[in-house]
Amino acid sequence: MITFEKVTKIYESTGKQVKALDDVDLHIEKGEIYGVIGFSGAGKSSLIRCVNLLERPTSGKVVVNNQDLLSLSPKELREAKRNIGMIFQHFNLLNSKTVFTNVAMPLLLTKTPKEEVKKRVYELLDFVGLRDKADNYPDQLSGGQKQRIGIARALSTQPSVLLCDEATSALDPQTTQSILDLLKRINKEYNITILIITHEMGVIREICDKVAVLDQGKVIEAGSVFDVFAQPKTEIAHNFVSTVMHDEIPESVHQLIQSQESTSQIYRIVFVGESAGAPLLSQIAKQFDVEVNVLFGSITELQGTPFGNLIVKFEGEAKEISRVIMHINQQEVTVKEVLDNVS
Amino acid sequence: MLVDWDQILIALQETISMVAFSLAFATIIGLPLGILLVVTRKGHLWENAPVFNVLNAVVNVFRSIPFIILMVAVIPFTRLIVGTSIGTAAAIVPMVLFSGPYIARLIENSLLEVDPGVMEAAQAMGATPRQIIVRFLLPEALSSLILGLTIATIGLVGASAMAGAIGGGGLGDLAITYGYQRFDTVVMIITVAILVVMVQGLQTTGNILSKKIRRR
């Protein structure tokens, strides 16, 4: 659906070259919700703006819907853009126009018959739950309502792709949730491919199927949200995961680790999916000659799958403990010894 | 008082017609000029450095000539267009030349205030450059444009009074010929009072219109 091939974007600013995107390869399948996360300045904005050529890549290829966008004439490109909806962090609505006209605008640009415009706009306003606001002006709406109007506007041309540029970053947590639910519905009901850029890992966890981590213009990690959350490969990905998974070891546990007796060892065990339901620890306590003590634990849900994170102290002979670890490794869980200063 | 009320009324009519015609022609020149000054600048719709630099310089040149000098300097041009260099119609030519570039600047300012995000949204939905200007830029700037045109109109009222100095007619002419040169304080007070009321009225109307369009 969306393919980036070796996309590089270089800005010239006061004689200095800044690489906003550095040789980015990315592939987004039809119907996916794809998230791109990164710190500010990582190149997220440039990336999403290259999908509809609001910014032209310095080199590389952008293919959307089997169309190589960079090879299109301005007219063809405008046509192609009607298939790519976009919503923005600050909504970017026309303050001088009513909600109705705002939603209708993309249709008015192509001189769509009046009756058809009316039908489509009310259909969309119903979909986002704001039919009664049709005659209001954007500044009479709350942030969440404005974003809903932005979404309705983006959908008016029935695009197959929706780009979300930090669409929830200016909203409070509750409103964010309702907008994310709406995006999920759009994805399901209209089978629209959604590309989201954000700096909030919560957004990725909530609705994305796949995620790419962007740092200094490079994709440093990409994969299913589940894999990246369960086993982040890079430091940055791990930091992002930590912001929502709360898997940092608490200070009190650190102190325990420091004062641990030589007969005990501390491990972090990560349960994924079905394994989270298995009574692993009680099995261990029965089968092996060790004492099991849970120091810290959390269970989150990821894409409808439980995801557990336990910090456990095993007390017993070193030999017995290593047998325990071997046993755990045979299950579908990850286990790692926790040393001090390592989280 | 050395003049009767009929004379004052005629002078008022002259002033109003000078201001109205100048405003109309100056806007016809200033609006496209102001739009061009915005869209040809760096990073904008029709980025074009040579066009921008030339327009920018031309506007600056006209803006730097004091009106009283401009009025005299363009007399040959005025004669070419209206056939005479004296009278109300003749005064309109320098007034348009004075106020056109001024309006261009005011319009440029208003358009630059439009949230770049709105332009981005317009481009994202596949609007043509023309549509971006007509359907996004101008409507979003309209409220501020009206305030700008109000300022320009008030500037024209001032200029029309100066045009009196070269026989342009209007309230300024009256104030200078009778109030100043013949020491008729009453005429002076009356013309100044009328001008004050006129400017107040213009500003109030502009404010109301602008607010109505903003609807906020």
PDB file of all heavy atoms in Angstrom, chain A residues 194-207:
ATOM      1  N   ILE A 194      -3.877   2.966   7.864  1.00  0.00           N
ATOM      2  CA  ILE A 194      -3.597   4.156   8.665  1.00  0.00           C
ATOM      3  C   ILE A 194      -2.114   4.213   9.022  1.00  0.00           C
ATOM      4  O   ILE A 194      -1.546   3.231   9.499  1.00  0.00           O
ATOM      5  CB  ILE A 194      -4.457   4.171   9.942  1.00  0.00           C
ATOM      6  CG1 ILE A 194      -5.955   4.194   9.572  1.00  0.00           C
ATOM      7  CG2 ILE A 194      -4.111   5.363  10.834  1.00  0.00           C
ATOM      8  CD1 ILE A 194      -6.883   4.244  10.776  1.00  0.00           C
ATOM      9  N   LEU A 195      -1.507   5.361   8.760  1.00  0.00           N
ATOM     10  CA  LEU A 195      -0.128   5.595   9.197  1.00  0.00           C
ATOM     11  C   LEU A 195      -0.158   6.684  10.265  1.00  0.00           C
ATOM     12  O   LEU A 195      -0.678   7.767  10.045  1.00  0.00           O
ATOM     13  CB  LEU A 195       0.755   6.029   8.013  1.00  0.00           C
ATOM     14  CG  LEU A 195       2.170   6.482   8.368  1.00  0.00           C
ATOM     15  CD1 LEU A 195       2.966   5.360   9.014  1.00  0.00           C
ATOM     16  CD2 LEU A 195       2.909   6.979   7.132  1.00  0.00           C
ATOM     17  N   ILE A 196       0.391   6.336  11.425  1.00  0.00           N
ATOM     18  CA  ILE A 196       0.357   7.263  12.551  1.00  0.00           C
ATOM     19  C   ILE A 196       1.781   7.619  12.933  1.00  0.00           C
ATOM     20  O   ILE A 196       2.620   6.726  13.070  1.00  0.00           O
ATOM     21  CB  ILE A 196      -0.317   6.587  13.768  1.00  0.00           C
ATOM     22  CG1 ILE A 196      -1.798   6.341  13.480  1.00  0.00           C
ATOM     23  CG2 ILE A 196      -0.132   7.408  15.033  1.00  0.00           C
ATOM     24  CD1 ILE A 196      -2.495   5.593  14.598  1.00  0.00           C
ATOM     25  N   ILE A 197       2.072   8.906  13.088  1.00  0.00           N
ATOM     26  CA  ILE A 197       3.341   9.227  13.720  1.00  0.00           C
ATOM     27  C   ILE A 197       3.038   9.865  15.064  1.00  0.00           C
ATOM     28  O   ILE A 197       2.058  10.586  15.230  1.00  0.00           O
ATOM     29  CB  ILE A 197       4.238  10.153  12.868  1.00  0.00           C
ATOM     30  CG1 ILE A 197       3.584  11.511  12.666  1.00  0.00           C
ATOM     31  CG2 ILE A 197       4.586   9.525  11.542  1.00  0.00           C
ATOM     32  CD1 ILE A 197       4.576  12.551  12.266  1.00  0.00           C
ATOM     33  N   THR A 198       3.832   9.538  16.033  1.00  0.00           N
ATOM     34  CA  THR A 198       3.546   9.983  17.395  1.00  0.00           C
ATOM     35  C   THR A 198       4.809   9.894  18.229  1.00  0.00           C
ATOM     36  O   THR A 198       5.788   9.255  17.846  1.00  0.00           O
ATOM     37  CB  THR A 198       2.434   9.110  18.026  1.00  0.00           C
ATOM     38  OG1 THR A 198       2.159   9.588  19.333  1.00  0.00           O
ATOM     39  CG2 THR A 198       2.856   7.646  18.109  1.00  0.00           C
ATOM     40  N   HIS A 199       4.796  10.570  19.355  1.00  0.00           N
ATOM     41  CA  HIS A 199       5.878  10.362  20.316  1.00  0.00           C
ATOM     42  C   HIS A 199       5.344   9.663  21.566  1.00  0.00           C
ATOM     43  O   HIS A 199       6.038   9.475  22.532  1.00  0.00           O
ATOM     44  CB  HIS A 199       6.560  11.680  20.669  1.00  0.00           C
ATOM     45  CG  HIS A 199       5.641  12.653  21.332  1.00  0.00           C
ATOM     46  ND1 HIS A 199       4.949  13.620  20.630  1.00  0.00           N
ATOM     47  CD2 HIS A 199       5.270  12.795  22.613  1.00  0.00           C
ATOM     48  CE1 HIS A 199       4.207  14.309  21.469  1.00  0.00           C
ATOM     49  NE2 HIS A 199       4.369  13.829  22.672  1.00  0.00           N
ATOM     50  N   GLU A 200       4.035   9.283  21.485  1.00  0.00           N
ATOM     51  CA  GLU A 200       3.414   8.636  22.633  1.00  0.00           C
ATOM     52  C   GLU A 200       3.322   7.127  22.401  1.00  0.00           C
ATOM     53  O   GLU A 200       2.595   6.668  21.526  1.00  0.00           O
ATOM     54  CB  GLU A 200       2.001   9.185  22.833  1.00  0.00           C
ATOM     55  CG  GLU A 200       1.970  10.650  23.178  1.00  0.00           C
ATOM     56  CD  GLU A 200       0.566  11.232  23.094  1.00  0.00           C
ATOM     57  OE1 GLU A 200      -0.125  10.972  22.098  1.00  0.00           O
ATOM     58  OE2 GLU A 200       0.188  11.930  24.036  1.00  0.00           O
ATOM     59  N   MET A 201       4.062   6.369  23.190  1.00  0.00           N
ATOM     60  CA  MET A 201       4.050   4.918  23.021  1.00  0.00           C
ATOM     61  C   MET A 201       2.674   4.355  23.337  1.00  0.00           C
ATOM     62  O   MET A 201       2.292   3.306  22.817  1.00  0.00           O
ATOM     63  CB  MET A 201       5.114   4.305  23.941  1.00  0.00           C
ATOM     64  CG  MET A 201       5.610   2.948  23.504  1.00  0.00           C
ATOM     65  SD  MET A 201       6.264   2.949  21.810  1.00  0.00           S
ATOM     66  CE  MET A 201       6.901   1.277  21.690  1.00  0.00           C
ATOM     67  N   GLY A 202       1.899   5.063  24.172  1.00  0.00           N
ATOM     68  CA  GLY A 202       0.553   4.617  24.503  1.00  0.00           C
ATOM     69  C   GLY A 202      -0.318   4.503  23.253  1.00  0.00           C
ATOM     70  O   GLY A 202      -1.128   3.587  23.130  1.00  0.00           O
ATOM     71  N   VAL A 203      -0.128   5.426  22.326  1.00  0.00           N
ATOM     72  CA  VAL A 203      -0.902   5.414  21.076  1.00  0.00           C
ATOM     73  C   VAL A 203      -0.551   4.157  20.279  1.00  0.00           C
ATOM     74  O   VAL A 203      -1.419   3.472  19.751  1.00  0.00           O
ATOM     75  CB  VAL A 203      -0.592   6.686  20.253  1.00  0.00           C
ATOM     76  CG1 VAL A 203      -1.185   6.585  18.860  1.00  0.00           C
ATOM     77  CG2 VAL A 203      -1.121   7.912  20.975  1.00  0.00           C
ATOM     78  N   ILE A 204       0.731   3.863  20.203  1.00  0.00           N
ATOM     79  CA  ILE A 204       1.191   2.678  19.471  1.00  0.00           C
ATOM     80  C   ILE A 204       0.593   1.416  20.111  1.00  0.00           C
ATOM     81  O   ILE A 204       0.047   0.557  19.427  1.00  0.00           O
ATOM     82  CB  ILE A 204       2.736   2.580  19.515  1.00  0.00           C
ATOM     83  CG1 ILE A 204       3.371   3.860  18.994  1.00  0.00           C
ATOM     84  CG2 ILE A 204       3.213   1.337  18.779  1.00  0.00           C
ATOM     85  CD1 ILE A 204       3.454   3.993  17.516  1.00  0.00           C
ATOM     86  N   ARG A 205       0.690   1.356  21.437  1.00  0.00           N
ATOM     87  CA  ARG A 205       0.196   0.174  22.136  1.00  0.00           C
ATOM     88  C   ARG A 205      -1.299   0.006  21.894  1.00  0.00           C
ATOM     89  O   ARG A 205      -1.800  -1.085  21.687  1.00  0.00           O
ATOM     90  CB  ARG A 205       0.457   0.305  23.638  1.00  0.00           C
ATOM     91  CG  ARG A 205      -0.061  -0.898  24.411  1.00  0.00           C
ATOM     92  CD  ARG A 205       0.106  -0.726  25.888  1.00  0.00           C
ATOM     93  NE  ARG A 205      -0.662   0.420  26.376  1.00  0.00           N
ATOM     94  CZ  ARG A 205      -0.654   0.811  27.647  1.00  0.00           C
ATOM     95  NH1 ARG A 205       0.087   0.190  28.518  1.00  0.00           N
ATOM     96  NH2 ARG A 205      -1.372   1.840  28.030  1.00  0.00           N
ATOM     97  N   GLU A 206      -1.981   1.139  21.898  1.00  0.00           N
ATOM     98  CA  GLU A 206      -3.441   1.101  21.833  1.00  0.00           C
ATOM     99  C   GLU A 206      -3.978   0.601  20.498  1.00  0.00           C
ATOM    100  O   GLU A 206      -4.882  -0.229  20.474  1.00  0.00           O
ATOM    101  CB  GLU A 206      -3.975   2.512  22.110  1.00  0.00           C
ATOM    102  CG  GLU A 206      -5.414   2.567  22.530  1.00  0.00           C
ATOM    103  CD  GLU A 206      -5.679   1.750  23.777  1.00  0.00           C
ATOM    104  OE1 GLU A 206      -4.897   1.848  24.756  1.00  0.00           O
ATOM    105  OE2 GLU A 206      -6.661   1.000  23.749  1.00  0.00           O
ATOM    106  N   ILE A 207      -3.441   1.108  19.386  1.00  0.00           N
ATOM    107  CA  ILE A 207      -4.109   0.756  18.129  1.00  0.00           C
ATOM    108  C   ILE A 207      -3.220   0.206  17.012  1.00  0.00           C
ATOM    109  O   ILE A 207      -3.745  -0.290  16.026  1.00  0.00           O
ATOM    110  CB  ILE A 207      -4.916   1.952  17.540  1.00  0.00           C
ATOM    111  CG1 ILE A 207      -4.017   3.087  17.130  1.00  0.00           C
ATOM    112  CG2 ILE A 207      -5.974   2.431  18.492  1.00  0.00           C
ATOM    113  CD1 ILE A 207      -4.790   4.082  16.269  1.00  0.00           C
TER     114      ILE A 207
END
